[in-house]
Amino acid sequence: MSLFNGLLLINKDRDCSSHQVVHEIRKILNQRSIGHAGTLDPLAKGLLIILCGSATKLSSYFINQNKRYNLSLKFGLQTDTFDLEGKVLNSKEVSLKPEDIKKVLKQNTCDLEIPVPIFSAVKVKGRKLYSYAFKDQKIDLPLKKMSFWDLEIHDIKKDSARLSISCSKGSYIRAWVNHLGQNIKTGACLTELTRVSSGDFELKNSLTLSELKQKVSQQFPTDENRLKQILEESFLFSNSALSQFSQIELTERNAKILKQGNLPDYILSQLEKDQIAVNKKGQAQILKVVKAQKLLALLEIKPFEKIKILRNFPY
């Protein structure tokens, strides 16, 4: 069993890959079972959700969350990656009116269907798009529905803008910036990007890798309870992180029954009303089972089916 189980909120530096962050945290915590819930491009910085121990089995519940970003963009510059990491395709001096920039920003703060970047991991015909890009092969880019809202403009110049915006899960800020450039007919490129939130998790509660290393090295924790004391709001138990699910608290006896893969009668009786509600709505429901605030299992209630244990967790 892994020593630490839970979520770490990390403030990723620019020019560092998400994989490199995972590699460093494995060394800092002396633990192999480390992953992340959604990558950040090397150009981007900000909030990266790190999963430790049994929490690595929960990535799907944290990847599919809405995000908020601070970003800067430059008009008149186009690259093949839609950001400064790529090859320049077109560069020209432009002098736009602030009202025209505001107009195109506000017009595209909405639901859109735009092509995903070719430098992405989206699969087309069984291959990831970036593999076509690396071999300079032409491919029709798939369209994807993306939603953008809560626009906040911080600064506008004749050829650039700084702003904050929220977007739906799986949206590509790079693609949105490229779309803006096409709309205003100058081209546009993402120059800076900082993720400030993902779901209920916020950048202000995160630590940089150097801060994490310093805190842990001062007194290496023996378990996740001690790690929580050291890192405070930057470390969350899995139970706390899954705040979107209702919970059932178990006794020690019922927890042992559950660990053996069986549902205690206590749970079945508690969930009779939930089962009726699910049957009426025709929509499945997920619940968490906890003991002393530690996550024991996730359950799924489906319409007119037996309650299912999705996953058990060590405790």
Side-chain angles (χ1 to χ4, degrees):
M1 183 172 59
S2 299
L3 184 60
F4 305 117
N5 302 283
L7 275 69
L8 265 175
L9 304 184
I10 294 295
N11 183 356
K12 186 185 88 66
D13 292 330
R14 182 169 173 162
D15 298 325
C16 176
S17 71
S18 300
H19 178 74
Q20 287 172 318
V21 173
V22 168
H23 179 70
E24 287 301 312
I25 293 176
R26 283 172 177 165
K27 292 193 294 184
I28 293 171
L29 297 183
N30 191 28
Q31 176 170 312
R32 288 294 303 167
S33 184
I34 302 289
H36 61 72
T39 61
L40 272 176
D41 293 337
L43 169 74
K45 57 185 180 179
L47 182 62
L48 184 66
I49 299 175
I50 297 295
L51 308 174
C52 305
S54 61
T56 56
K57 308 299 183 182
L58 300 170
S59 61
S60 61
Y61 299 109
F62 303 118
I63 288 176
N64 296 322
Q65 299 186 103
N66 297 330
K67 314 289 194 302
R68 185 163 181 82
Y69 294 92
N70 295 336
L71 64 136
S72 297
L73 59 98
K74 182 175 177 60
F75 295 102
L77 178 63
Q78 291 177 281
T79 73
D80 57 354
T81 59
F82 305 159
D83 60 26
L84 291 180
E85 296 291 308
K87 179 174 67 175
V88 175
L89 302 177
N90 187 30
S91 180
K92 59 184 178 183
E93 288 191 13
V94 298
S95 183
L96 298 169
K97 297 178 181 179
E99 55 266 31
D100 290 337
I101 295 177
K102 288 181 181 178
K103 182 179 179 180
V104 76
L105 287 171
K106 291 178 180 178
Q107 285 179 339
N108 289 281
T109 303
C110 59
D111 296 336
L112 298 170
E113 192 172 42
I114 53 182
V116 300
I118 192 166
F119 282 91
S120 67
V122 174
K123 283 191 175 183
V124 175
K125 297 181 180 178
R127 291 170 54 190
K128 294 180 178 179
L129 278 176
Y130 60 70
S131 69
Y132 293 99
F134 289 147
K135 295 182 179 180
D136 201 24
Q137 296 175 331
K138 299 297 181 182
I139 187 73
D140 291 330
L141 298 177
L143 297 176
K144 185 173 185 180
K145 291 182 180 179
M146 309 180 199
S147 298
F148 301 89
W149 67 90
D150 198 13
L151 170 70
E152 185 179 354
I153 300 173
H154 303 300
D155 183 48
I156 289 181
K157 293 184 171 60
K158 64 179 182 179
D159 64 348
S160 63
R162 287 192 305 107
L163 55 117
S164 299
I165 199 163
S166 298
C167 61
S168 57
K169 59 186 180 182
S171 295
Y172 291 89
I173 294 291
R174 290 179 291 143
W176 182 70
V177 169
N178 182 67
H179 180 74
L180 293 175
Q182 293 175 342
N183 276 213
I184 208 166
K185 296 181 170 45
T186 64
C189 175
L190 181 69
T191 56
E192 291 184 12
L193 184 65
T194 302
R195 183 189 288 165
V196 294
S197 70
S198 177
D200 294 329
F201 308 113
E202 297 188 6
L203 180 61
K204 66 181 182 181
N205 296 325
S206 66
L207 294 171
T208 63
L209 280 178
S210 58
E211 289 171 337
L212 174 67
K213 187 174 183 178
Q214 182 181 18
K215 285 179 176 289
V216 170
S217 62
Q218 289 174 349
Q219 184 179 351
F220 193 83
T222 54
D223 56 35
E224 59 258 30
N225 291 311
R226 181 58 186 149
L227 187 65
K228 175 65 177 175
Q229 292 177 346
I230 294 171
L231 303 185
E232 299 177 328
E233 67 268 23
S234 298
F235 181 79
L236 297 92
F237 298 124
S238 298
N239 175 44
S240 301
L242 292 169
S243 58
Q244 69 269 41
F245 300 141
S246 300
Q247 73 176 42
I248 300 174
E249 186 85 26
L250 288 192
T251 62
E252 179 67 28
R253 178 177 176 275
N254 284 326
K256 289 180 178 179
I257 295 174
L258 184 69
K259 188 177 181 181
Q260 294 169 354
N262 299 312
L263 285 174
D265 292 336
Y266 171 78
I267 287 182
L268 296 174
S269 61
Q270 282 282 100
L271 297 181
E272 285 181 0
K273 291 182 179 179
D274 295 80
Q275 181 71 68
I276 293 171
V278 166
N279 292 346
K280 288 181 178 179
K281 291 181 180 179
Q283 185 175 355
Q285 178 184 355
I286 295 176
L287 301 100
K288 56 187 179 182
V289 182
V290 302
K291 177 183 175 295
Q293 293 306 305
K294 293 296 180 70
L295 182 66
L296 302 184
L298 290 178
L299 307 181
E300 184 178 37
I301 308 175
K302 287 186 174 181
F304 304 102
E305 292 186 20
K306 289 183 178 180
I307 298 173
K308 177 183 177 182
I309 300 175
L310 287 179
R311 185 177 292 278
N312 270 319
F313 297 93
Y315 72 98

